[in-house]
Structures are given as C-alpha cells and as structure tokens.
Amino acid sequence: MKSYTTRAVAFVASAAMLALTACSAGSSTSGGSSTGADQSLSLGLVAEPASLDFTTTDGAAIPQVLLGNVYESLVKQDESGKIVPSLAKSWTVSPDRKTYTFDLVDNAKFTNDKPFTAADAVFSINRVKSAWTTSLKSAMDVVAGAKALSPTQLQVTLTKPSNGWLFRMTTRIGAMFSETGVSALATAPIGTGPYKFSKWNRGDSIVLQRNDGYWGTKPQFQQITLKYFKDPTALNNALLTGTINVITTVQAPEALSQFTGNEKYQVIEGTTNGEVLLSFNNSKPVFRDLRTRQAIRQAIDHKALLDTCFAGRGKLIGSMVPPTDPWYEDLTSVAPYDVAKAKSLLQASGAAGATLRLRLPTLPYAISCGQVVKSQLEQVGLKVQIDQQEFPAAWLTTVFKSADYDMSIIAHVEPRDLGAVFSPTYYTRYNDPELQQYLAAADAGDEAAQLDNMKKAGRRLSEQAAGDWLFLLPNLIVADKNLTGLPQNAITENFDLSRLARS
Amino acid sequence: MRRLNPSLVAGGVIVGVIALMALLSFVWTPYDATLVNPSGRLAMPSWEHWFGTDKFGRDVFSQIMVGSRTTLFVGVVAVGVAAVIGVPLGVLAAMTPRWPSELIMRTNDLMLAFPALLLAIMFGAVFGASTLTAMVAIGIASVPSFARVIRSGALQVMRTEYVLAARAAGRKPFPIAARHVLPNVTSLITVQASVSFAIAVLAEAALSFLGYGTPPPTPSWGRMLQESQEFLFSAPRLAVFPGIAIAVAVLGFNLLGDGLRDRFDPKLEDRR
C-alpha cells in the first residue's frame, strides 16, 4: 500500500513539474510577443570586445557595437563619408578655423534620465584628455578648451586650425557621456543613443534594448542581440539555421555560394576602411633597414594572397588609404611582386636567413593570410615562426601594448587612421619625421593642402614600406531577404543598428 | 602452434603503415606540406596530387603524411604521460593499506568523471593552443583509466604465493613492486597504452578541429578537417581524406589493443 502511495506522489510531482515546465515554456513564448520575431533581431559578429569601455580599452569591437547605437557624438558620418549633424543640430567655424560653435539638440537625454546639455559635451571633451588611456586620445590634443555658452550651445577652441579634429569627433573620441554615467563604463555604458545596453553574456552575446525615450527617430526593433562567433563556418551555419538574421561580416567567403543562390537571403558587397596590415615592429633592428622592409613587401604576391585567403574578394590598395578617402591613389605598383628583387634586397641588407615571429590574432582572416605570408617569405630566404595570440585579450597585451612581436596581421578599421597607426607610440613603433610633417601640413592647411599632403603621406608610407597592406577588407553582409537599412559600405567605426527594419 | 589473431594482424599492419608513413615524411613527401601554391589551389585528385590540393594550394597527401607525425607524436607523449603517472598510482593503490588506497582511487574516480575533452579545452584556454598543451592535457585525462586497470592487475599479483612469500621474507614494498608486480602487469600496460593511443588520436583531432590543438601551419588531421568546413559543398574531398585518416588510425590502434589483449589473455580469446 505504501509503495502505491509513494508512486502516486511521485507521479503527481512529476506531472506537476511537467505542467510547470509547460507553463514556463508558454509564458516565455507569450512574453516574447513584445520582443517576438518581428520585434527582435540577432546579428552575428566575429570579434567580441574585451571590455565595453573604449576610453580605456583599444579595439574596434567596442565602438562597432556602442557608437551611434548606445553613445552618440555631436556629429557623425553618413554613408558617403560626409560629416552630418547628430547631437549638434548645426555648427559654425570661425574665420581663423580655431573656434567651433555647436548648437545642440534640446530634447536628448541619457538612459540614466539626465538631460544632455552643453555641460555634458564639455565634460566629455575634457575627459578624453584627463581620463582616456587609449592611444586614440591624442586626437583631442589640439583642443585648447571647451565651454558651455548655454545649455544648448557649446564652444570649442583649438590651439591651431585642424582639418582632422571635426572628423575625429565622428569617431569614438566624440562620444558624449553623462557626468553621472561613467562609473561603470566597462560593464554598464550610458548614452543618449537609440538603443540602451541591456546585458552582456561574456563569450556569447551582447543584448541592446530600444531606448523608448530616444530624442530622434525611434528604431523599429525593440531588442537586438549581437552574437559572437569564433568559427566562420559556425557563423554561416547560424544564419542558415535561423539563429541569427545577419552576418555582419562574412569570414568564410569561399562558402558564400550557399547564400548567393538562395532566395531567403540577400548578399551585400561593398567596401570598408579595413586595411589588412602586415605590420612590422619598426623598433626592431631587423626592420630599421628599408631594404628589408621593401624585400618583404616585394616577396608577397598580393593578388594570389587575396585569392587564397579571402576568395579574391576585397581590394589591393598598396598603402593605408582606402578608396573612399578623398586622397586615395592606387599605390599597388610601388612594391610589385618580384621574388628575385626581394632576395637581392635581403642579401644587401644582411637579413637573409633571419627568423621573424609572426604573431597572429586568432581571427580567421589573419590565420589564413599568415600561412600564405609565411610560405611566401620563406621562399625568399626568411624564416617565419607563426605564433597565435588569443584575440582580443592576449593579442592586445602582447602585440598592441607591449610591442612584443616582429610582424603581425590585423585589419585597421578606424576611419582615416593613417597618422594614428604609423606613429612612434603605436604598436608599429614607426618614427618618420617626414611623414609627421606631411600629416601636420595636411591637418593645418586648406582643403587643397590637405589633399596634397595626405597623398604625399600615403605615398611616403608605401615607399618607406612602413608595413605591408595585404588588401582592403570587403563589406560582405548576408542577411534575411526582408531586412533593410544595412550599410552598402562600412566606412565608419560603428555598425548602425538604428536604421535596420523589416520591409 | 597458436593461430594468428586477425585483430592483432590488422591493427599491427595499420599502425605499422601509419608509423612508416610518419617516418617516411621526415625524408620524403611528394611536395612540401606547408608550401602555399595559389595557382594550384583546390585541384582535384590527379597523378600530380593524389588527394588533390587545399585552398592554399598545398598537397593534401603530403599534409596527411606529415599530419601522421603529429598524430603519432601526440599519441606517444600523451600515453607516456598517462603511463608515467597512472601506473605508479595504480600499483601504489594496490599495495597500500585501505585508506590511502581508497583516497587514491576516489580521487581517480573524480578525475574519471571529468570529461577529457573539456579538460583539454580548459588547458588550451589557459596555456594557449599548442601541440604540447594538447598532449599533456590528453595524457592527464588518460591517467585515471591507466591507474584503475593497473590497480586491478596489481591486486591479483599481490595475492600470488610468490609475493606473499616475498612479504613474509621481509622484502620491502618497493623491491616487491619493482621485481614482482610491475613485470607482471606489463601486458596490461601494453594493452591499455594501445587503447589510450586510439583515444589520444581522436582527442588531438577534436582539439585541433576546435582550434585548441596543433596551430597552423603544422599539418594536423583535425585542423585539416576544420579548414575543410567552408568547402563542404564545393570540395567535400578536403574533409574526406583527413576524416578517413583519423578513422583508420583509431581503428588500427583499437584493433591492435584488442589483439594484444587477446594475445596476453588467451583464455579470453578461447571464450569467443
């Protein structure tokens, strides 16, 4: 009798548990109606940020998610690269080009409910100088001071005229922070953008919720999940199985054919700012000889490399300037593929037989290209040791911060980053006074002088072989057919989520 | 005269061929296994390239040959690590009084309950992906099975009359272990090593597939499989050849282990 009772109790308990499970499953489905399939979107990305604080942590992955979506800047770039209003409705520049006066929107507020005012802009600009620790903070060195003329009017004074400063204000440097919202930037960012940060499942995803108090046009999707994938095939499979709706950057272009012929998907192919750079540690004795650097550039068959490691998609550029910049010129002929010349240059410089450490971030394109680079450099008499560094944490620490490397491969996706990447303090450790002169003249001069000097700077880099530009990453996006608002070209630091919609 | 054991023969032949292939790859491969040849990428199997070429234009057959080195090297070191730690632990557990023996075996059970691949991935994440990390991790994960098998064998030896006589004669535990126990569990060690070898081969392939094993450009069967993923629709042969190599190697070591076990324990064979 006791046995029957026990079994009955167990059965009832099991049934109750099943019922509860069913209820909870149902409730999550019904609860999902507010963030259901038409209200939520999942995007697949490759490189997960190491932190959410781009004021202290380098790397493009943080502004890619947060800039323009959670944080906003005074001005932003449109898809053609033109500087357009954002939190500043309009602005004027004084005749001496040293004073900028911004008229700010009056209805923006941070997600901590504090209104955005000129005082916040002053705080944000000053904070770049006082609290930021990343290398990009130098872009604000030209600012002499910022003051709030009224709650909606901001005046910024520069120490000298600068063509680059306003452009830099469209990047992460220009992000506006609330004075009361910077205590936990690494885990809880607070901005004025169309989305607010919701949660970060480390190693998996970042979730953003629509900011219903947004001052501008509200985005269509209530929730956007950014899912990170280390394996490019897993990323492709996630779209095929409906786990995600967008592959923001295709990393396995050889497998693109599975989407191109499929009417469920759209494939967008455009251009980017992402120069895939074979960087040299120019502080190492072996790289101080121009002939060695030139030999490495001429030992690499760039066309074959692009075909092999990125299925021929992308563009050969020959320097640090993408075609979307006004001062672009095709510099691929500066260092043509010439094995015999490369060998003789190495013999002349005495670097033949030298062993170089190629420290690669664990990013699919870097691992692929690294194997081609190693093979081609070994054919001209160099020895190359490949060493993988977990990206971002280990690579940022070892290569980027400590410059403990000989060569590396990574895409630099920041817009107009020529001067930042090739400076004595950056991980390339490139110290070239002539280049700095061109950059200074470009920044201070009029539009024609800027164009002329930036062209000279691009050519100088290429001729001095400060690095080797393997190719320019294409903007390869695959998404559900009915999604609109995806960028044709990726020329800004951020992936604009606010324009995404279902048709 | 005893008839030849088919498992032993088949396993021995397969393992022998793999070992020969690995040795031969030190002095000859059809092509340099790491030489990138963009103009000859994704070539179909032909007389020039028996297994075709991969996306880098590298000869797949040469990669399989050199990859067998990685496989055997990982297997030898991993099994070595497992044996060096596991065998003394097993003998110790058999020869010590109850509570130290229980402590060793329960700790062993704890380790046995931990998934081997997960342990190896943790090692890879902490110490970085490399062949060495994979070898040590797989070796450590194989320690419990060695210890368990060797303990049971050692317990049987400890009950034999000659060991009892040696103990009665006042021989110390260490000489007993060295002179009587270890020589009598050698067959068990050999069989367990062969079985663990098969597991190590599979584990190395899995780790390299997941990116926690042998880093590029050193050829590895698991990484060849991983790199072939993007070509599953356009060039599935790139997955087939390393896949077959892994399957055959695992089969070979398992058959060899089976055959050795039958050989050392004929009673088991007769029961079939």
Side-chain angles (χ1 to χ4, degrees), chain A residues 77-381:
Chain A
Q77 278 187 86
D78 67 8
E79 217 181 302
S80 66
K82 194 178 155 201
I83 299 174
V84 296
S86 181
L87 283 170
K89 289 186 291 189
S90 61
W91 62 93
T92 56
V93 187
S94 66
D96 67 356
R97 297 167 54 222
K98 286 166 65 174
T99 305
Y100 287 72
T101 307
F102 297 92
D103 284 318
L104 310 180
V105 295
D106 58 5
N107 56 344
K109 64 176 184 179
F110 291 98
T111 48
N112 62 359
D113 280 336
K114 303 281 182 198
F116 167 71
T117 65
D120 295 303
V122 172
F123 166 74
S124 302
I125 290 171
N126 289 337
R127 195 169 179 277
V128 175
K129 291 181 148 194
S130 62
W132 283 47
T133 58
T134 60
S135 53
L136 296 172
K137 65 177 281 191
S138 60
M140 209 60 97
D141 290 349
V142 73
V143 173
K147 64 179 176 183
L149 302 178
S150 75
T152 57
Q153 201 166 49
L154 168 76
Q155 189 177 74
V156 179
T157 312
L158 307 184
T159 55
K160 58 184 180 184
S162 170
N163 288 315
W165 179 74
L166 190 65
F167 184 84
R168 292 280 153 239
M169 290 298 285
T170 68
T171 67
R172 70 190 91 164
I173 290 291
M176 292 292 123
F177 297 89
S178 162
E179 196 162 357
T180 55
V182 292
S183 56
L185 290 178
T187 51
I190 290 172
T192 60
Y195 283 96
K196 58 185 176 185
F197 172 76
S198 174
K199 64 177 173 178
W200 181 13
N201 304 310
R202 284 183 190 253
D204 179 59
S205 60
I206 291 174
V207 182
L208 304 180
Q209 294 284 343
R210 184 168 62 200
N211 176 8
D212 288 324
Y214 183 53
W215 61 276
T217 308
K218 289 180 184 58
Q220 187 188 82
F221 293 106
Q222 188 176 6
Q223 178 176 296
I224 290 197
T225 305
L226 302 136
K227 286 184 77 70
Y228 292 92
F229 295 83
K230 287 194 169 160
D231 181 61
T233 309
L235 180 58
N236 286 357
N237 290 342
L239 182 63
L240 287 168
T241 54
T243 309
I244 57 172
N245 307 99
V246 184
I247 299 174
T248 56
T249 162
V250 172
Q251 295 289 309
E254 300 275 5
L256 204 60
S257 58
Q258 60 192 316
F259 300 110
T260 45
N262 193 328
E263 62 180 20
K264 282 169 68 183
Y265 305 108
Q266 55 177 317
V267 178
I268 294 174
E269 187 165 2
T271 189
T272 68
N273 277 327
E275 304 97 350
V276 180
L277 175 68
L278 171 65
S279 50
F280 306 149
N281 184 346
N282 288 283
S283 65
K284 297 268 176 171
V286 69
F287 289 111
R288 290 199 188 127
D289 194 315
L290 172 62
R291 292 168 296 185
T292 306
R293 304 197 300 267
Q294 283 174 332
I296 291 174
R297 288 200 69 195
Q298 296 204 253
I300 296 171
D301 181 352
H302 295 84
K303 173 76 174 65
L305 179 138
L306 181 58
D307 288 345
T308 306
C309 71
F310 225 76
R313 292 170 195 270
K315 185 174 173 62
L316 303 182
I317 43 176
S319 187
M320 196 69 188
V321 184
T324 42
D325 279 351
W327 37 85
Y328 167 75
E329 52 181 339
D330 184 354
L331 295 171
T332 49
S333 58
V334 171
Y337 175 52
D338 188 338
V339 171
K341 181 80 187 295
K343 282 181 179 171
S344 68
L345 282 167
L346 284 178
Q347 289 295 338
S349 72
T355 301
L356 302 172
R357 275 182 315 166
L358 177 56
R359 305 198 101 160
L360 299 172
T362 48
L363 294 168
Y365 66 84
I367 302 294
S368 273
C369 294
Q371 296 183 65
V372 182
V373 166
K374 173 184 163 69
S375 177
Q376 297 199 334
L377 293 188
E378 288 186 340
Q379 286 174 57
V380 297

Side-chain angles (χ1 to χ4, degrees), chain B residues 66-157:
Chain B
V66 180
S68 64
R69 267 192 240 167
T70 311
T71 300
L72 288 185
F73 185 51
V74 170
V76 167
V77 176
V79 169
V81 168
V84 164
I85 303 172
V87 171
L89 272 181
V91 172
L92 197 66
M95 293 182 70
T96 47
R98 185 167 178 164
W99 76 260
S101 171
E102 284 293 310
L103 184 71
I104 292 170
M105 293 322 290
R106 294 300 78 79
T107 312
N108 203 53
D109 289 346
L110 205 68
M111 281 182 66
L112 207 58
F114 203 84
L117 209 56
L118 195 63
L119 183 75
I121 289 172
M122 277 169 58
F123 262 68
V126 175
F127 300 108
S130 72
T131 312
L132 179 72
T133 316
M135 289 186 303
V136 173
I138 297 166
I140 290 175
S142 307
V143 166
S145 48
F146 259 91
R148 179 157 287 279
V149 168
I150 300 307
R151 176 181 172 266
S152 68
L155 277 175
Q156 284 181 21
V157 179

Side-chain angles (χ1 to χ4, degrees), chain A residues 411-487:
Chain A
H412 288 272
V413 297
E414 293 82 7
R416 300 187 184 176
D417 50 3
L418 184 156
V421 172
F422 291 97
S423 78
T425 53
Y426 212 62
Y427 81 105
T428 54
R429 301 287 193 267
Y430 186 68
N431 192 0
D432 180 0
E434 193 173 325
L435 176 75
Q436 298 305 323
Q437 275 178 16
Y438 291 139
L439 293 173
D443 198 33
D446 58 16
E447 201 173 319
Q450 183 188 23
L451 196 69
D452 181 47
N453 282 292
M454 285 307 292
K455 276 188 177 174
K456 284 179 180 164
R459 183 168 282 277
R460 170 81 183 167
L461 275 182
S462 191
E463 287 171 350
Q464 288 295 307
D468 186 43
W469 298 270
L470 299 177
F471 62 95
L472 187 79
L473 278 177
N475 183 37
L476 270 180
I477 298 176
V478 185
D480 290 350
K481 190 85 174 175
N482 61 352
L483 261 185
T484 60
L486 293 159

Side-chain angles (χ1 to χ4, degrees), chain B residues 14-225:
Chain B
I14 292 172
V15 172
V17 167
I18 293 171
L20 267 178
M21 190 161 69
L23 287 173
L24 181 64
S25 75
F26 282 103
V27 290
W28 177 84
T29 50
Y31 297 88
D32 179 346
T34 60
L35 182 69
V36 171
N37 175 23
S39 60
R41 57 197 299 267
L42 298 173
M44 291 290 284
S46 64
W47 280 114
E48 283 88 352
H49 298 283
W50 296 345
F51 290 177
T53 60
D54 69 0
K55 81 164 183 173
F56 296 100
R58 298 177 300 203
D59 183 55
V60 174
F61 183 71
S62 304
Q63 285 191 290
I64 296 275
M65 281 183 76
V66 180
S68 64
R69 267 192 240 167
T70 311
T71 300
L72 288 185
F73 185 51
V74 170
V76 167
V77 176
V79 169
V81 168
V84 164
I85 303 172
V87 171
L89 272 181
V91 172
L92 197 66
M95 293 182 70
T96 47
R98 185 167 178 164
W99 76 260
S101 171
E102 284 293 310
L103 184 71
I104 292 170
M105 293 322 290
R106 294 300 78 79
T107 312
N108 203 53
D109 289 346
L110 205 68
M111 281 182 66
L112 207 58
F114 203 84
L117 209 56
L118 195 63
L119 183 75
I121 289 172
M122 277 169 58
F123 262 68
V126 175
F127 300 108
S130 72
T131 312
L132 179 72
T133 316
M135 289 186 303
V136 173
I138 297 166
I140 290 175
S142 307
V143 166
S145 48
F146 259 91
R148 179 157 287 279
V149 168
I150 300 307
R151 176 181 172 266
S152 68
L155 277 175
Q156 284 181 21
V157 179
M158 289 297 289
R159 289 191 204 105
T160 55
E161 288 176 357
Y162 53 86
V163 171
L164 291 174
R167 290 174 72 180
R171 295 295 294 268
K172 299 270 188 230
F174 186 78
I176 292 176
R179 291 214 39 195
H180 301 297
V181 180
L182 273 177
N184 282 292
V185 294
T186 315
S187 58
L188 282 177
I189 297 173
T190 314
V191 173
Q192 184 60 30
S194 186
V195 173
S196 296
F197 215 107
I199 296 169
V201 168
L202 206 57
E204 191 279 329
L207 286 175
S208 294
F209 182 87
L210 295 170
Y212 290 99
T214 310
T218 309
S220 148
W221 294 347
R223 221 194 46 263
M224 286 173 76
L225 261 188

